[in-house]
Amino acid sequence: MNTAEIDFNPAYLQAISKDQAWHYRIIPRYSSESVVTLFCDQESDSSALTEELEIVFGKKVELEILSSASLNTLLNKHYLKESGQHQFGKSSLAMEGDGFLNELIREARNLKSSDIHIEIYEEKCRVRIRIDGMMVERYVLKKSEYPALINKIKIMANLDIAEKRLPQDGRINFKNGEEQFDIRVSVLPTLHGEKVVLRLLNNNAANIDLEHVGFSVFDRENYMQGIRRPNGIILISGPTGSGKTTTLYATLKYLNKETRNILTIEDPIEYTLQGINQVQLKESIGLTFASALRTFLRQDPDVIMVGEIRDPETANMAIRAALTGHLVLSTVHTNSAWGTVSRLMDMGIPSFLVANTLNTSVAQRLLRLLCNNCKMEMEFDPASYPKQFKPFAPVKHHFVARGCEKCYHTGYSGRKAVYEVIPLDHELTQEIKHGNMYINTLLEARGIKTLAENAFALFAAGETTIEEIYPLLFTN
């Protein structure tokens, strides 16, 4: 039997605890009021196991035999023995009350999840977590238990539990043993109730370093040249979840010296850095990016970090700050490094001001890396490329994701950023002033690698898959 083709229902999986699953070596496949169907180990005494499990469940038990290897794979995938004492697969909400939420947050943290999604629909409620950029469903909850869970989150985040018609945003300071971290809470009213997203923020910036975020040697030299300049704007572009904030914090950590006054306006403050004056955005009381920037200019800054340039007012204030001799770091949503130029112009910034202030433009994406323990080499079919894509180098063999215990059977382990870094020189600034957006020849002459080229290099080196880099190949 090919267990990979079976779609396991989380509601059945959480009917037993992790301890029960490993003790009896069973996996629930189906459950009703009168019968439960379970996979069991071929080494088990099926008749004796059936009798004992019927006493445990209080209903008829049907067993389907699996090989020991297949069962081990399923147990490690669905009951995550590696994560220590924290348990997935246990419906503990009704039994333990508040403990469910705490266990859920701890488990998500241990799995290096970035977000927890708690959602309600007409027929069911579910909990999903995002690991390495991908959503994974972990729980199905009873609709009767859902309001209590939402209220618990609201209370912890100091939100109004009586307000169920409007979106709300809050923050939770969570302690997990000796570790302490913040959680950004977003509550959204939907058709069937309130959806909650918990963003787990990493307050520890100790491991953030420009040497290890993913720059190639050439791109890092170009980027370092930009941040060493005393003024101008450095913009990092990319979609949500592409690692822009991490790159910004690594930059701030490098620039953080006693001789510099560094100010930031952020939404949210994801890392706390000693020696940097960090301000939390509060639009409800008028503390916006633009208003904070206006005040920053009276605070004698050397370096200013703006979480995002999202409107013309903020863009104009950032330009003003750069013109008056400050180094400004920020992010913007565009598809490429050169696309930030047209984005600023679309916000109403004249081309000559963009040319005079834009220091360095960066685009980045995050790609999942293959698990080194289980990746498998295969012959590569060039038909896997997008149509009309011209590969940068011939690839005869590539690696595909398989899945094992170490990567929770995802086939991937960790992520790496790929960059496109354009340092603005005199010739490029002249192109901006003349409104020329087609500068590929100039970039090639400078040896600047595009996102597609850097992503392809990771694929050709066997670090990631064609599926991961596929969306970036269209930017070639």
Side-chain angles (χ1 to χ4, degrees), residues 55-241:
I55 296 173
V56 171
F57 293 114
K59 61 177 75 172
K60 183 181 179 182
V61 171
E62 296 177 350
L63 298 180
E64 295 186 18
I65 307 299
L66 279 184
S67 68
S68 298
S70 296
L71 194 69
N72 278 335
T73 296
L74 292 176
L75 285 170
N76 279 298
K77 181 177 182 180
H78 297 293
Y79 292 96
L80 303 180
K81 193 175 182 180
E82 292 85 356
S83 59
Q85 74 275 22
H86 305 305
Q87 300 178 9
F88 261 145
K90 180 171 72 173
S91 183
S92 55
L93 180 63
M95 294 183 291
E96 301 181 21
D98 296 346
F100 172 81
L101 179 59
N102 294 333
E103 282 295 309
L104 175 63
I105 294 171
R106 290 191 189 102
E107 187 70 33
R109 186 69 167 183
N110 290 344
L111 293 174
K112 297 180 174 61
S113 170
S114 60
D115 300 88
I116 302 171
H117 291 243
I118 304 172
E119 305 161 313
I120 184 168
Y121 301 97
E122 185 176 7
E123 300 295 334
K124 71 172 185 177
C125 310
R126 67 178 179 178
V127 176
R128 294 188 293 170
I129 64 175
R130 188 180 294 278
I131 302 175
D132 288 338
M134 302 298 289
M135 298 286 282
V136 179
E137 185 173 329
R138 300 308 307 184
Y139 275 96
V140 173
L141 307 174
K142 296 178 182 177
K143 290 194 74 171
S144 60
E145 297 169 332
Y146 192 82
L149 176 61
I150 300 304
N151 284 341
K152 172 63 179 173
I153 294 171
K154 285 184 173 181
I155 291 169
M156 291 176 68
N158 294 316
L159 300 178
D160 184 359
I161 63 172
E163 181 56 75
K164 302 181 186 300
R165 301 165 301 169
L166 296 173
Q168 296 188 71
D169 294 298
R171 200 177 185 94
I172 297 172
N173 185 264
F174 191 82
K175 293 183 179 179
N176 181 23
E178 295 183 357
E179 184 185 23
Q180 185 171 321
F181 57 93
D182 288 339
I183 301 171
R184 185 176 66 181
V185 180
S186 175
V187 182
L188 176 70
T190 64
L191 178 62
H192 300 290
E194 293 176 291
K195 170 186 168 125
V196 174
V197 176
L198 307 178
R199 166 65 61 88
L200 279 59
L201 306 176
N202 187 355
N203 291 346
N204 182 13
N207 297 324
I208 301 178
D209 194 291
L210 280 176
E211 296 286 330
H212 303 106
V213 292
F215 284 115
S216 67
V217 175
F218 180 75
D219 285 340
R220 185 168 63 245
E221 287 176 355
N222 282 335
Y223 186 72
M224 296 296 283
Q225 177 183 318
I227 65 176
R228 286 177 181 140
R229 290 167 67 174
N231 53 41
I233 299 177
I234 294 177
L235 285 180
I236 302 177
S237 68
T240 301

Side-chain angles (χ1 to χ4, degrees), residues 298-338:
R298 297 192 289 270
Q299 287 280 319
D300 186 32
D302 296 296
V303 179
I304 295 173
M305 192 270 267
V306 185
E308 181 185 347
I309 294 179
R310 59 173 71 151
D311 55 65
E313 188 181 7
T314 306
N316 276 294
M317 287 304 304
I319 292 289
R320 177 181 165 187
L323 284 172
T324 52
H326 305 95
L327 184 64
V328 180
L329 311 173
S330 191
T331 68
V332 67
H333 288 286
T334 61
N335 291 326
S336 65
W338 193 247

Side-chain angles (χ1 to χ4, degrees), residues 276-321:
I276 293 178
N277 305 282
Q278 297 173 266
V279 179
Q280 170 67 50
L281 185 80
K282 292 180 183 176
E283 291 184 328
S284 60
I285 61 172
L287 181 55
T288 62
F289 285 128
S291 64
L293 264 174
R294 196 173 291 110
T295 304
F296 282 2
L297 293 179
R298 297 192 289 270
Q299 287 280 319
D300 186 32
D302 296 296
V303 179
I304 295 173
M305 192 270 267
V306 185
E308 181 185 347
I309 294 179
R310 59 173 71 151
D311 55 65
E313 188 181 7
T314 306
N316 276 294
M317 287 304 304
I319 292 289
R320 177 181 165 187

Side-chain angles (χ1 to χ4, degrees), residues 219-261:
D219 285 340
R220 185 168 63 245
E221 287 176 355
N222 282 335
Y223 186 72
M224 296 296 283
Q225 177 183 318
I227 65 176
R228 286 177 181 140
R229 290 167 67 174
N231 53 41
I233 299 177
I234 294 177
L235 285 180
I236 302 177
S237 68
T240 301
S242 59
K244 302 186 299 295
T245 303
T246 300
T247 302
L248 279 181
Y249 277 110
T251 307
L252 289 175
K253 189 176 177 183
Y254 174 82
L255 294 172
N256 189 13
K257 312 290 183 188
E258 283 188 12
T259 54
R260 289 194 182 100
N261 178 25

